[in-house]
């Protein structure tokens, strides 16, 4: 089929890669350049944190997250960057004054999904063995089934892949005005496809009611003296703080 995709951010790219595997021909539209940075996917910390979000999310989000973690390795393999994903679990800890809250948080997870029974409590020694640089913490939990994707690398390499693919036409800097069944409107023109997908993220705000974005800020740090190898969450009563390791001693 000839398929039109409006919005080539994180979801548009995942979709495009899957459709190409099935042999379809694609026309992509994005208001930004292929290597631009307006997509949320360019900012994302890339945590595959299905448990960490469960406290405030529905179980359907948890189930989608589980499926997503299974799919990332083969998707990254298609781009030849299998090392852009690590699935060696994550850590959640807290300052001493917030430890009761941490126990409560884990209790909530365990009451919500059966899989949370695999979350392990860590004492000082176990923490030091798993992540030596967290030695100052006396208590933490290890969540085995979480991980992270290098979202920025995925975005960069998928741009190269899609731009060079013979079954892909990518219209850069084209604002889509409307997506409806079988057609995409842009610059006063209407293009017809066998199928169309609207993956404009928040860009579809005018057409889709109650669409809301993920709120957050990412700070990049050069931290040559810190070695944390897994995504680590600091439970805090007011903020969600995550440390996400990056190549070359960077962290976000
Ligand atoms: C600070 C921050 C941290 C995050 N951390 C994580 C995390 O750790 N783990 C996680 O799972 N998620 C995280 N997210 C969420 C994740 O980034 C988003 O869920 C994901 O990027 C959504 O993908 P998307 O394709 O829907 O939107 P986007 O990635 O924003 O892509 C939308 C695309 O549509 C294009 N577009 C918009 N309007 C139009 C138009 N009218 N015409 C043509 N093109 C258009 C945009 O240019 C863009 O390229 C984070 C988000 C933020 C902001």
């Amino acid at each position: 089929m000839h398929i039109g995709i409006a919005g080539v951010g994180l979801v548009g790219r995942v979709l495009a890669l899957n459709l190409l595997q099935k042999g379809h021909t694609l026309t992509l539209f994005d208001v930004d350049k292929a290597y631009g940075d307006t997509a949320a996917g360019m900012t994302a910390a890339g945590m595959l944190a299905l448990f960490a979000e469960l406290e405030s999310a529905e179980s359907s989000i948890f189930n989608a997250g589980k499926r997503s973690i299974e799919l990332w390795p083969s998707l990254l393999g298609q781009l030849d960057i299998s090392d852009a994903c690590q699935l060696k679990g994550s850590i959640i800890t807290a300052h001493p004054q917030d430890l009761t809250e941490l126990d409560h948080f884990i209790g909530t997870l365990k009451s919500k999904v059966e899989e949370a029974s695999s979350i392990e409590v860590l004492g000082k020694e176990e923490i030091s063995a798993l992540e030596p640089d967290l030695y100052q913490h006396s208590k933490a939990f290890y969540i085995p089934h979480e991980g992270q994707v290098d979202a920025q690398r995925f975005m960069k390499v998928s741009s190269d892949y899609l731009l060079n693919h013979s079954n892909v036409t990518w219209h850069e800097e084209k604002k889509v005005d409307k997506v409806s069944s079988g057609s995409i409107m842009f610059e006063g023109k209407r293009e017809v496809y066998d199928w169309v997908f609207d993956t404009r993220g928040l860009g579809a705000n005018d057409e889709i009611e109650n669409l809301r974005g993920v709120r957050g800020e990412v700070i990049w740090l050069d931290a040559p003296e810190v070695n944390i190898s897994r995504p680590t969450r600091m439970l805090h009563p007011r903020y969600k703080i995550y440390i996400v390791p990056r190549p070359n001693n960077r962290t976000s």
Side-chain angles (χ1 to χ4, degrees), residues 148-168:
Q148 69 180 100
V149 168
D150 186 338
Q152 290 68 39
R153 193 164 161 217
F154 169 73
M155 295 296 279
K156 156 84 178 66
V157 176
S158 58
S159 295
D160 299 340
Y161 182 91
L162 293 169
L163 286 169
N164 290 313
H165 201 291
S166 56
N167 281 4
V168 176

Side-chain angles (χ1 to χ4, degrees), residues 6-13 29-32 38-49 155 174-177 199-204 214-218 244:
V8 201
L10 192 86
V11 175
R13 286 159 198 246
F29 296 85
D30 204 290
V31 69
D32 199 2
T38 56
M42 283 303 294
T43 311
M47 289 178 64
L48 303 174
M155 295 296 279
K174 294 279 182 239
K175 182 174 184 293
V176 170
D177 298 316
T199 49
R200 288 175 291 167
L202 276 186
V214 175
R215 295 173 99 187
E217 285 177 24
V218 170
V244 183

Side-chain angles (χ1 to χ4, degrees), residues 26-251:
L26 310 179
T27 299
L28 315 178
F29 296 85
D30 204 290
V31 69
D32 199 2
K33 293 189 181 125
Y35 297 100
D37 59 6
T38 56
M42 283 303 294
T43 311
M47 289 178 64
L48 303 174
L50 62 163
F51 285 100
E53 298 299 333
L54 186 61
E55 189 196 23
S56 52
E58 312 86 84
S59 60
S60 60
I61 300 286
F62 177 81
N63 291 331
K66 244 179 26 179
R67 179 82 181 116
S68 157
I69 285 187
E70 288 165 13
L71 294 173
W72 271 108
S74 69
L75 193 73
L76 296 172
Q78 191 180 341
L79 298 175
D80 217 12
I81 50 165
S82 299
D83 60 335
C85 169
Q86 66 150 322
L87 298 172
K88 54 179 195 174
S90 68
I91 307 270
I92 177 160
T93 187
H95 289 304
Q97 64 270 28
D98 301 326
L99 283 175
T100 321
E101 203 141 333
L102 179 59
D103 287 335
H104 177 73
F105 174 79
I106 298 295
T108 306
L109 298 191
K110 291 194 171 176
S111 69
K112 279 200 167 183
V113 290
E114 207 187 308
E115 288 90 335
S117 58
S118 63
I119 297 176
E120 294 167 32
V121 59
L122 306 175
K124 205 170 176 55
E125 266 179 36
E126 287 103 337
I127 296 172
S128 294
L130 208 59
E131 291 291 351
D133 278 18
L134 296 178
Y135 70 95
Q136 284 170 326
H137 291 269
S138 59
K139 186 171 181 181
F141 289 88
Y142 171 62
I143 307 183
H145 306 297
E146 293 198 331
Q148 69 180 100
V149 168
D150 186 338
Q152 290 68 39
R153 193 164 161 217
F154 169 73
M155 295 296 279
K156 156 84 178 66
V157 176
S158 58
S159 295
D160 299 340
Y161 182 91
L162 293 169
L163 286 169
N164 290 313
H165 201 291
S166 56
N167 281 4
V168 176
T169 306
W170 188 328
H171 295 301
E172 299 179 57
E173 298 182 274
K174 294 279 182 239
K175 182 174 184 293
V176 170
D177 298 316
K178 194 169 172 55
V179 179
S180 47
S181 179
S183 73
I184 289 179
M185 296 272 299
F186 72 104
E187 293 177 349
K189 291 179 269 192
R190 180 170 169 268
E191 289 211 346
V192 176
Y193 300 94
D194 297 317
W195 274 67
V196 295
F197 288 91
D198 188 353
T199 49
R200 288 175 291 167
L202 276 186
N205 223 356
D206 291 346
E207 285 172 58
I208 301 175
E209 227 175 286
N210 298 326
L211 197 60
R212 61 185 172 83
V214 175
R215 295 173 99 187
E217 285 177 24
V218 170
I219 300 170
W220 285 79
L221 297 172
D222 271 312
E225 285 156 24
V226 180
N227 286 300
I228 295 176
S229 68
R230 294 173 176 78
T232 300
R233 176 173 174 182
M234 191 76 183
L235 195 100
H236 185 278
R238 275 183 296 154
Y239 310 113
K240 291 180 179 180
I241 304 170
Y242 304 94
I243 298 167
V244 183
R246 302 290 186 171
N248 308 320
N249 283 95
R250 282 197 148 198
T251 187

